[in-house]
Amino acid sequence: METKIFQSDQINQAAALLRQGELVAFPTETVYGLGANALLPESVKQVFTVKGRPSDNPLIVHVADFSMTAEFVESYHPLTEKIVKHFWPGPLTLIFKIKEGSLNPVVTGGLSTAAFRMPDNKKTLSLIEKTDAPLVGPSANTSGRPSPTTALHVYHDLKGKIAGILDDGATQIGVESTVLDLSGEVPTILRPGAVTQEALEEILGIEVPLDKHLVKESETPKAPGMKYKHYSPDTPVLMINSDDWEKALIWAEANDKKVGLLVTPKIADKYSSADRFVFADETVEAATRGLFSGLRALDEAKKVDIIFAEVFPEDHLGLAYMNRLKKAAAQNYFSEM
């Protein structure tokens, strides 16, 4: 299969393929999604096949406006209107109880709930409108690999497996959306992202708990990205605390390990002899934007035996960064042997 790259003036062609049941990757402000018409179960099944993704893992349904959810949602949480007003379009996925039979179980993972998002990307909103159907959109990569933040990343993983990719350059945020469960009484974050716990609590005026449960391989997750290990390159990753860089590099040299660094400029300047991917600046925003690109670049170069990654405080956006990094590293920090 030829995988076509679509530009802004070719959105109609991409939408036609989706209506026909083909798969087309699309850009969002977070990462690129692997699009299939959510109303065509056979197309959705192709998503799992192409990604090598477990079929019990629910998919996010992407809509062009909030009104598109009404066909599927059984009931809305009382805070839904306030949440949508402040955070849609944007990097926030909402989980609702759905009407029985309104979505095929292949979309929901067999659950009585479904996840919905309105992405903040004009090209993709136009694509959904022109398809005249919501789109499922898990990250457009091989399952378990770092999520794609450019069309080139998608092409690298899925060339010849999907019909097309709608290109809109690099994504702005770099990690997947926050997932907020609104199917129960208390809004609960199932996956942290750029819409932070603090931002939600400020707008809603209530405490919004974070579910830190890590789903084992034998469990069915309620939302994507809840697995214990995820986003992993083939090259092993270790997280390095700020006081451990010298010890970690000494350990690597003693064990004849070629190291790649995933770091801010300050750390990169200090250890300039190592292979490295350097974030644009010292901020957690830059680190989050570059995390998946850096993991991919160091892994695909095949020059290193292990990746040492810089950590950030686990608050605000740092919570999302560390959530993804911990899973990429299978929860492993460097510690002296």
Coordinates of all heavy atoms in Angstrom, one line a residue, residues 237-324:
V237 N 15.9 2.5 28.8 CA 15.9 3.9 29.3 C 16.1 3.8 30.9 O 15.4 3.1 31.5 CB 14.6 4.7 29.0 CG1 14.7 6.1 29.5 CG2 14.4 4.7 27.4
L238 N 16.9 4.7 31.4 CA 17.0 4.9 32.8 C 16.8 6.4 33.2 O 17.4 7.2 32.5 CB 18.4 4.5 33.4 CG 18.7 3.0 33.6 CD1 20.1 2.8 34.1 CD2 17.7 2.4 34.7
M239 N 16.0 6.6 34.2 CA 15.8 8.0 34.7 C 17.0 8.3 35.6 O 17.3 7.5 36.5 CB 14.5 8.1 35.4 CG 13.3 7.9 34.4 SD 11.7 8.0 35.3 CE 11.7 6.3 36.0
I240 N 17.5 9.6 35.5 CA 18.6 10.0 36.3 C 18.2 11.1 37.2 O 17.9 12.2 36.7 CB 19.8 10.4 35.5 CG1 20.1 9.3 34.4 CG2 21.1 10.6 36.3 CD1 20.5 7.9 34.9
N241 N 18.3 11.0 38.5 CA 18.1 12.1 39.4 C 19.2 13.1 39.3 O 20.4 12.7 39.0 CB 17.9 11.6 40.9 CG 16.6 10.9 41.1 OD1 15.5 11.4 40.7 ND2 16.6 9.7 41.7
S242 N 19.0 14.3 39.7 CA 20.0 15.4 39.5 C 21.3 15.1 40.2 O 22.3 15.5 39.7 CB 19.4 16.7 40.0 OG 19.0 16.6 41.4
D243 N 21.3 14.4 41.3 CA 22.6 14.2 42.0 C 23.3 12.9 41.5 O 24.4 12.6 42.0 CB 22.3 14.0 43.5 CG 21.8 15.3 44.1 OD1 22.1 16.4 43.6 OD2 21.1 15.2 45.2
D244 N 22.7 12.2 40.5 CA 23.3 10.9 40.2 C 24.0 10.9 38.8 O 24.4 9.8 38.4 CB 22.2 9.9 40.2 CG 21.7 9.5 41.6 OD1 22.5 9.7 42.5 OD2 20.6 9.0 41.7
W245 N 24.1 12.0 38.1 CA 24.7 12.0 36.8 C 26.1 11.5 36.8 O 26.4 10.6 35.9 CB 24.6 13.4 36.1 CG 23.2 13.7 35.6 CD1 22.3 14.4 36.2 CD2 22.6 13.2 34.4 NE1 21.1 14.5 35.5 CE2 21.3 13.7 34.4 CE3 23.1 12.4 33.4 CZ2 20.5 13.4 33.3 CZ3 22.2 12.1 32.3 CH2 20.9 12.6 32.3
E246 N 27.0 12.0 37.6 CA 28.4 11.5 37.6 C 28.4 10.0 37.9 O 29.1 9.3 37.2 CB 29.1 12.3 38.7 CG 29.4 13.8 38.4 CD 30.5 14.0 37.3 OE1 31.1 13.0 36.9 OE2 30.7 15.1 36.9
K247 N 27.7 9.6 38.9 CA 27.7 8.2 39.3 C 27.2 7.3 38.1 O 27.7 6.2 37.8 CB 26.9 7.9 40.5 CG 27.6 8.5 41.8 CD 26.7 8.2 43.0 CE 25.5 9.2 43.1 NZ 24.8 9.1 44.3
A248 N 26.1 7.8 37.5 CA 25.6 7.0 36.4 C 26.5 6.9 35.2 O 26.7 5.8 34.6 CB 24.3 7.6 35.9
L249 N 27.2 7.9 34.9 CA 28.1 7.9 33.8 C 29.4 7.1 34.1 O 29.9 6.4 33.2 CB 28.5 9.3 33.3 CG 27.3 10.1 32.7 CD1 27.6 11.6 32.6 CD2 27.1 9.5 31.2
I250 N 29.8 7.1 35.3 CA 30.9 6.3 35.7 C 30.5 4.8 35.7 O 31.3 4.0 35.2 CB 31.4 6.7 37.2 CG1 32.1 8.0 37.2 CG2 32.3 5.6 37.7 CD1 32.3 8.6 38.5
W251 N 29.3 4.5 36.1 CA 28.8 3.1 36.0 C 28.8 2.7 34.6 O 29.2 1.5 34.3 CB 27.4 3.1 36.7 CG 26.8 1.8 36.5 CD1 26.9 0.6 37.2 CD2 25.8 1.5 35.4 NE1 26.1 -0.4 36.6 CE2 25.4 0.1 35.5 CE3 25.3 2.2 34.3 CZ2 24.5 -0.5 34.7 CZ3 24.4 1.6 33.5 CH2 24.0 0.3 33.7
A252 N 28.3 3.5 33.7 CA 28.1 3.1 32.3 C 29.5 2.8 31.7 O 29.7 1.9 30.9 CB 27.4 4.2 31.5
E253 N 30.5 3.7 32.0 CA 31.8 3.5 31.4 C 32.4 2.2 32.0 O 33.0 1.4 31.2 CB 32.7 4.7 31.8 CG 34.1 4.6 31.2 CD 34.9 5.8 31.4 OE1 34.5 6.7 32.1 OE2 36.1 5.9 30.9
A254 N 32.2 1.9 33.3 CA 32.8 0.7 33.9 C 32.2 -0.5 33.3 O 32.8 -1.6 33.3 CB 32.6 0.8 35.4
N255 N 30.9 -0.4 32.8 CA 30.2 -1.6 32.2 C 30.2 -1.5 30.7 O 29.4 -2.3 30.1 CB 28.8 -1.6 32.8 CG 28.7 -2.0 34.2 OD1 28.7 -3.2 34.5 ND2 28.8 -1.1 35.2
D256 N 31.1 -0.7 30.1 CA 31.2 -0.6 28.7 C 29.9 -0.3 28.0 O 29.6 -1.0 27.0 CB 31.8 -1.9 28.2 CG 32.4 -1.7 26.8 OD1 32.8 -0.6 26.4 OD2 32.5 -2.7 26.0
K257 N 29.1 0.6 28.6 CA 27.8 1.0 28.0 C 27.9 2.3 27.2 O 28.4 3.3 27.8 CB 26.7 1.1 29.1 CG 26.4 -0.2 29.9 CD 25.6 -1.1 29.1 CE 25.1 -2.3 29.9 NZ 24.3 -3.2 29.2
K258 N 27.6 2.3 26.0 CA 27.5 3.5 25.2 C 26.2 4.3 25.5 O 25.1 3.7 25.3 CB 27.6 3.2 23.7 CG 27.5 4.4 22.8 CD 28.8 5.2 22.8 CE 28.8 6.3 21.7 NZ 30.0 7.1 21.7
V259 N 26.3 5.5 26.1 CA 25.2 6.2 26.6 C 24.7 7.3 25.7 O 25.5 8.0 25.1 CB 25.5 6.8 28.0 CG1 24.4 7.6 28.5 CG2 25.9 5.7 29.0
G260 N 23.4 7.4 25.6 CA 22.7 8.6 24.9 C 22.0 9.4 26.0 O 21.4 8.8 26.9
L261 N 22.1 10.7 25.9 CA 21.5 11.6 26.9 C 20.3 12.3 26.4 O 20.3 12.8 25.2 CB 22.5 12.6 27.4 CG 23.9 12.2 27.9 CD1 24.7 13.4 28.4 CD2 23.7 11.2 29.0
L262 N 19.2 12.3 27.1 CA 18.0 13.0 26.8 C 17.9 14.1 27.9 O 17.4 13.8 29.0 CB 16.8 12.0 26.8 CG 15.4 12.6 26.4 CD1 15.5 13.1 25.0 CD2 14.4 11.5 26.6
V263 N 18.3 15.3 27.5 CA 18.6 16.3 28.6 C 18.3 17.7 28.2 O 18.2 18.0 27.0 CB 20.1 16.2 29.0 CG1 20.3 14.9 29.8 CG2 21.0 16.3 27.8
T264 N 18.3 18.6 29.2 CA 18.3 20.1 28.9 C 19.7 20.6 28.6 O 20.7 19.8 28.8 CB 17.8 20.8 30.2 OG1 18.6 20.4 31.3 CG2 16.3 20.4 30.5
P265 N 19.8 21.8 28.0 CA 21.1 22.3 27.6 C 22.1 22.3 28.8 O 23.3 22.1 28.5 CB 20.8 23.7 27.1 CG 19.4 23.6 26.7 CD 18.7 22.7 27.6
K266 N 21.7 22.6 30.0 CA 22.6 22.7 31.1 C 23.3 21.3 31.3 O 24.6 21.3 31.5 CB 21.9 23.0 32.4 CG 22.7 23.3 33.6 CD 21.9 23.7 34.8 CE 22.8 24.0 36.0 NZ 22.0 24.4 37.2
I267 N 22.6 20.2 31.3 CA 23.2 18.9 31.5 C 24.0 18.6 30.2 O 25.1 18.0 30.3 CB 22.2 17.8 31.7 CG1 21.4 18.1 33.0 CG2 22.8 16.5 31.7 CD1 22.3 18.0 34.3
A268 N 23.5 18.9 29.1 CA 24.2 18.6 27.8 C 25.6 19.3 27.8 O 26.6 18.7 27.3 CB 23.4 19.0 26.6
D269 N 25.7 20.5 28.2 CA 26.9 21.3 28.2 C 27.9 20.6 29.1 O 29.2 20.6 28.9 CB 26.7 22.7 28.6 CG 26.0 23.5 27.5 OD1 25.9 23.0 26.4 OD2 25.5 24.6 27.8
K270 N 27.5 20.1 30.2 CA 28.3 19.5 31.2 C 28.9 18.2 30.8 O 30.1 17.8 31.1 CB 27.6 19.3 32.5 CG 28.4 19.0 33.7 CD 27.6 19.0 35.0 CE 28.5 18.7 36.2 NZ 27.7 18.7 37.5
Y271 N 28.2 17.4 29.9 CA 28.6 16.1 29.5 C 28.6 16.1 27.9 O 27.9 15.3 27.3 CB 27.7 15.0 30.1 CG 27.7 15.1 31.6 CD1 26.5 15.5 32.2 CD2 28.8 14.7 32.3 CE1 26.5 15.5 33.6 CE2 28.7 14.7 33.7 CZ 27.6 15.2 34.4 OH 27.5 15.2 35.7
S272 N 29.3 17.0 27.3 CA 29.2 17.2 25.9 C 29.8 16.1 25.0 O 29.6 16.1 23.8 CB 29.9 18.6 25.6 OG 31.2 18.6 26.0
S273 N 30.5 15.2 25.7 CA 31.2 14.2 24.9 C 30.2 13.0 24.5 O 30.5 12.2 23.6 CB 32.4 13.6 25.6 OG 32.0 13.0 26.8
A274 N 29.1 12.9 25.2 CA 28.2 11.8 24.9 C 27.2 12.1 23.8 O 26.9 13.3 23.5 CB 27.4 11.6 26.2
D275 N 26.7 11.1 23.1 CA 25.6 11.3 22.2 C 24.4 11.8 23.0 O 24.2 11.4 24.1 CB 25.2 9.9 21.6 CG 26.2 9.5 20.5 OD1 26.2 10.1 19.4 OD2 27.0 8.5 20.8
R276 N 23.7 12.7 22.4 CA 22.6 13.3 23.2 C 21.5 13.9 22.3 O 21.8 14.3 21.1 CB 23.2 14.4 24.1 CG 23.9 15.5 23.4 CD 24.9 16.3 24.3 NE 25.4 17.5 23.7 CZ 26.5 17.5 22.9 NH1 27.1 16.3 22.6 NH2 26.9 18.6 22.5
F277 N 20.4 14.0 22.8 CA 19.3 14.8 22.3 C 19.0 15.9 23.3 O 18.7 15.6 24.4 CB 18.0 14.0 22.0 CG 16.9 14.7 21.4 CD1 16.7 14.7 20.1 CD2 16.0 15.5 22.2 CE1 15.6 15.4 19.5 CE2 14.9 16.2 21.7 CZ 14.7 16.1 20.3
V278 N 19.1 17.2 22.9 CA 19.0 18.3 23.8 C 17.7 19.0 23.6 O 17.3 19.4 22.5 CB 20.2 19.3 23.6 CG1 20.1 20.4 24.7 CG2 21.5 18.5 23.6
F279 N 16.9 19.2 24.7 CA 15.7 19.9 24.7 C 16.0 21.4 24.3 O 17.1 21.9 24.5 CB 15.0 19.9 26.0 CG 14.6 18.5 26.4 CD1 14.9 18.0 27.7 CD2 14.1 17.6 25.5 CE1 14.6 16.7 28.1 CE2 13.7 16.3 25.9 CZ 14.0 15.9 27.2
A280 N 15.0 22.1 23.8 CA 15.2 23.5 23.3 C 15.7 24.5 24.4 O 16.4 25.4 24.1 CB 13.9 24.0 22.7
D281 N 15.2 24.2 25.6 CA 15.6 25.1 26.7 C 15.5 24.3 28.0 O 15.3 23.1 28.0 CB 14.9 26.4 26.8 CG 13.4 26.2 26.8 OD1 12.9 25.4 27.6 OD2 12.6 26.9 26.1
E282 N 15.6 25.0 29.2 CA 15.6 24.3 30.5 C 14.2 24.0 31.0 O 14.0 23.4 32.1 CB 16.3 25.2 31.5 CG 17.7 25.6 31.1 CD 18.7 24.5 31.0 OE1 18.5 23.5 31.8 OE2 19.6 24.5 30.2
T283 N 13.1 24.4 30.3 CA 11.8 24.3 30.9 C 11.2 23.0 30.7 O 11.6 22.2 29.8 CB 10.9 25.4 30.2 OG1 10.7 25.0 28.8 CG2 11.4 26.8 30.3
V284 N 10.2 22.7 31.5 CA 9.5 21.4 31.4 C 8.7 21.4 30.1 O 8.4 20.3 29.6 CB 8.7 21.1 32.7 CG1 7.5 22.1 32.8 CG2 8.2 19.7 32.7
E285 N 8.2 22.5 29.7 CA 7.5 22.6 28.4 C 8.3 22.1 27.2 O 7.9 21.3 26.4 CB 7.0 24.0 28.1 CG 5.9 24.5 29.0 CD 6.4 25.0 30.4 OE1 7.6 25.1 30.6 OE2 5.5 25.2 31.3
A286 N 9.6 22.6 27.2 CA 10.5 22.1 26.1 C 10.8 20.6 26.3 O 10.9 19.9 25.3 CB 11.8 22.9 26.2
A287 N 11.0 20.2 27.5 CA 11.3 18.7 27.7 C 10.1 17.9 27.3 O 10.2 16.8 26.6 CB 11.6 18.5 29.2
T288 N 8.9 18.3 27.6 CA 7.7 17.6 27.2 C 7.5 17.5 25.7 O 7.2 16.5 25.1 CB 6.4 18.2 27.9 OG1 6.6 18.2 29.3 CG2 5.2 17.4 27.6
R289 N 7.8 18.7 25.1 CA 7.6 18.8 23.6 C 8.7 17.9 22.9 O 8.4 17.3 21.9 CB 7.8 20.2 23.2 CG 7.4 20.5 21.8 CD 7.2 22.0 21.6 NE 8.3 22.8 22.0 CZ 8.2 23.7 23.1 NH1 7.0 23.8 23.7 NH2 9.2 24.4 23.4
G290 N 9.8 17.7 23.6 CA 10.9 16.9 22.9 C 11.1 15.5 23.4 O 11.9 14.8 22.8
L291 N 10.3 15.1 24.4 CA 10.5 13.8 25.0 C 10.4 12.6 24.0 O 11.4 11.8 23.8 CB 9.5 13.6 26.1 CG 9.4 12.2 26.7 CD1 10.8 11.9 27.4 CD2 8.3 12.0 27.7
F292 N 9.3 12.5 23.3 CA 9.1 11.4 22.3 C 10.1 11.5 21.1 O 10.6 10.5 20.7 CB 7.7 11.3 21.9 CG 6.7 10.9 22.9 CD1 5.4 11.4 23.0 CD2 7.1 9.9 23.9 CE1 4.5 11.0 24.0 CE2 6.2 9.5 24.8 CZ 4.9 10.0 24.9
S293 N 10.3 12.7 20.6 CA 11.2 12.9 19.5 C 12.6 12.5 20.0 O 13.4 11.9 19.2 CB 11.3 14.4 19.1 OG 10.1 14.8 18.5
G294 N 13.0 12.9 21.2 CA 14.3 12.5 21.7 C 14.5 11.0 21.8 O 15.6 10.4 21.5
L295 N 13.5 10.4 22.4 CA 13.6 8.9 22.6 C 13.7 8.2 21.2 O 14.5 7.3 21.0 CB 12.4 8.4 23.3 CG 12.2 8.7 24.8 CD1 10.9 8.3 25.3 CD2 13.3 8.0 25.6
R296 N 12.9 8.7 20.3 CA 13.0 8.1 18.9 C 14.4 8.4 18.3 O 15.0 7.4 17.7 CB 11.9 8.7 18.0 CG 10.5 8.1 18.2 CD 9.5 8.8 17.4 NE 8.3 8.0 17.4 CZ 7.9 7.0 16.6 NH1 8.8 6.7 15.6 NH2 6.8 6.4 16.7
A297 N 14.9 9.6 18.4 CA 16.1 9.9 17.7 C 17.3 9.1 18.2 O 18.1 8.6 17.5 CB 16.4 11.4 17.8
L298 N 17.4 9.0 19.5 CA 18.5 8.2 20.1 C 18.3 6.7 19.8 O 19.3 6.1 19.6 CB 18.5 8.5 21.7 CG 18.9 9.9 22.1 CD1 18.6 10.1 23.6 CD2 20.4 10.1 21.8
D299 N 17.1 6.3 19.8 CA 16.9 4.8 19.6 C 17.2 4.5 18.1 O 17.9 3.5 17.8 CB 15.4 4.5 19.9 CG 15.1 3.0 19.8 OD1 15.9 2.2 20.4 OD2 14.1 2.7 19.3
E300 N 16.7 5.3 17.2 CA 16.7 5.0 15.8 C 18.2 5.1 15.2 O 18.5 4.5 14.2 CB 15.7 5.8 15.0 CG 14.3 5.4 15.3 CD 13.2 6.4 14.8 OE1 13.6 7.3 14.1 OE2 12.1 6.2 15.2
A301 N 19.0 6.0 15.9 CA 20.4 6.1 15.4 C 21.2 4.9 15.7 O 22.2 4.6 15.0 CB 21.0 7.3 16.2
K302 N 20.7 4.0 16.6 CA 21.4 2.8 16.9 C 22.9 2.9 17.2 O 23.7 2.1 16.9 CB 21.2 1.8 15.8 CG 19.7 1.4 15.5 CD 19.5 0.3 14.5 CE 18.0 0.1 14.2 NZ 17.2 -0.2 15.4
K303 N 23.2 4.0 18.0 CA 24.5 4.2 18.4 C 24.8 4.0 19.9 O 25.9 4.1 20.3 CB 24.9 5.7 18.0 CG 25.0 6.0 16.5 CD 25.4 7.4 16.3 CE 25.5 7.7 14.8 NZ 25.9 9.2 14.6
V304 N 23.7 3.9 20.6 CA 23.8 3.8 22.1 C 23.2 2.5 22.6 O 22.3 1.9 22.0 CB 23.2 5.0 22.8 CG1 23.8 6.3 22.3 CG2 21.7 5.1 22.6
D305 N 23.8 2.1 23.8 CA 23.3 0.9 24.4 C 22.2 1.2 25.5 O 21.4 0.3 25.8 CB 24.4 0.2 25.2 CG 25.6 -0.2 24.2 OD1 25.3 -0.8 23.2 OD2 26.7 0.1 24.6
I306 N 22.2 2.4 25.9 CA 21.3 2.8 27.0 C 21.0 4.3 26.9 O 21.9 5.1 26.5 CB 21.8 2.4 28.4 CG1 20.7 2.5 29.5 CG2 23.0 3.2 28.8 CD1 21.1 1.8 30.8
I307 N 19.8 4.8 27.3 CA 19.5 6.2 27.3 C 19.3 6.6 28.7 O 18.6 6.0 29.5 CB 18.1 6.4 26.5 CG1 18.3 6.0 25.0 CG2 17.7 7.9 26.6 CD1 17.0 6.0 24.2
F308 N 20.0 7.7 29.1 CA 19.9 8.3 30.4 C 19.0 9.6 30.2 O 19.3 10.5 29.4 CB 21.2 8.8 31.0 CG 22.1 7.6 31.5 CD1 23.4 7.9 31.9 CD2 21.6 6.3 31.6 CE1 24.2 6.9 32.4 CE2 22.4 5.3 32.1 CZ 23.7 5.6 32.5
A309 N 17.9 9.6 30.9 CA 16.9 10.7 30.7 C 16.8 11.6 32.0 O 16.8 11.1 33.1 CB 15.6 10.2 30.4
E310 N 16.8 12.9 31.8 CA 16.6 13.9 32.8 C 15.2 13.8 33.4 O 14.2 13.7 32.7 CB 17.0 15.3 32.3 CG 17.1 16.3 33.4 CD 17.7 17.6 32.9 OE1 18.2 17.6 31.7 OE2 17.7 18.6 33.6
V311 N 15.1 14.0 34.7 CA 13.8 14.0 35.4 C 13.4 15.5 35.8 O 14.3 16.3 35.9 CB 13.8 13.1 36.6 CG1 14.1 11.7 36.2 CG2 14.7 13.6 37.7
F312 N 12.1 15.6 36.0 CA 11.6 16.9 36.5 C 10.7 16.7 37.7 O 10.2 15.6 37.9 CB 10.8 17.6 35.3 CG 11.6 18.3 34.3 CD1 12.3 17.6 33.3 CD2 11.7 19.7 34.4 CE1 13.0 18.3 32.4 CE2 12.5 20.3 33.4 CZ 13.2 19.6 32.4
P313 N 10.4 17.8 38.5 CA 9.5 17.6 39.6 C 8.1 17.2 39.1 O 7.6 17.6 38.0 CB 9.4 19.0 40.2 CG 10.7 19.7 39.8 CD 11.0 19.1 38.4
E314 N 7.4 16.4 39.8 CA 6.1 15.8 39.4 C 5.0 16.7 39.9 O 4.2 16.4 40.7 CB 6.0 14.4 39.9 CG 6.9 13.4 39.3 CD 6.7 12.0 39.6 OE1 5.6 11.5 39.4 OE2 7.6 11.3 40.2
D315 N 4.9 17.9 39.3 CA 3.8 18.8 39.5 C 3.5 19.5 38.2 O 4.3 19.6 37.3 CB 4.0 19.7 40.7 CG 5.3 20.6 40.5 OD1 5.8 20.7 39.4 OD2 5.8 21.1 41.5
H316 N 2.3 20.1 38.1 CA 1.9 20.8 36.9 C 2.2 20.0 35.6 O 1.9 18.8 35.6 CB 2.6 22.2 36.9 CG 2.2 23.0 38.0 ND1 1.1 23.8 38.1 CD2 2.9 23.2 39.2 CE1 1.0 24.4 39.3 NE2 2.1 24.1 40.0
L317 N 2.8 20.5 34.6 CA 3.1 19.8 33.4 C 4.2 18.7 33.6 O 4.2 17.7 32.9 CB 3.6 20.7 32.3 CG 3.8 20.1 30.9 CD1 2.6 19.4 30.4 CD2 4.3 21.2 29.9
G318 N 5.0 18.9 34.7 CA 6.0 17.9 35.0 C 5.4 16.5 35.3 O 6.0 15.5 35.2
L319 N 4.1 16.5 35.8 CA 3.4 15.3 36.1 C 3.2 14.5 34.8 O 3.4 13.3 34.8 CB 2.1 15.6 36.8 CG 1.3 14.4 37.3 CD1 2.1 13.7 38.4 CD2 0.0 14.9 37.9
A320 N 2.8 15.2 33.7 CA 2.6 14.5 32.4 C 4.0 14.0 31.9 O 4.1 12.9 31.4 CB 2.0 15.5 31.4
Y321 N 5.0 14.9 31.9 CA 6.3 14.5 31.4 C 6.8 13.2 32.2 O 7.2 12.2 31.5 CB 7.3 15.6 31.7 CG 8.8 15.2 31.4 CD1 9.3 15.4 30.1 CD2 9.6 14.8 32.4 CE1 10.6 15.0 29.8 CE2 10.9 14.5 32.1 CZ 11.4 14.6 30.8 OH 12.7 14.2 30.5
M322 N 6.7 13.2 33.5 CA 7.2 12.1 34.3 C 6.4 10.8 34.1 O 6.9 9.7 34.1 CB 7.4 12.5 35.7 CG 8.5 13.5 36.0 SD 10.1 12.9 35.5 CE 10.3 11.4 36.6
N323 N 5.1 11.0 33.9 CA 4.2 9.9 33.6 C 4.7 9.1 32.4 O 4.7 7.9 32.4 CB 2.8 10.4 33.5 CG 1.8 9.3 33.0 OD1 1.6 9.1 31.8 ND2 1.2 8.7 34.0
R324 N 5.0 9.8 31.3 CA 5.4 9.2 30.1 C 6.8 8.7 30.2 O 7.1 7.5 29.8 CB 5.3 10.2 28.9 CG 4.0 10.9 28.7 CD 2.8 10.0 28.8 NE 1.6 10.7 28.3 CZ 0.8 11.5 29.0 NH1 1.1 11.8 30.2 NH2 -0.3 12.0 28.4

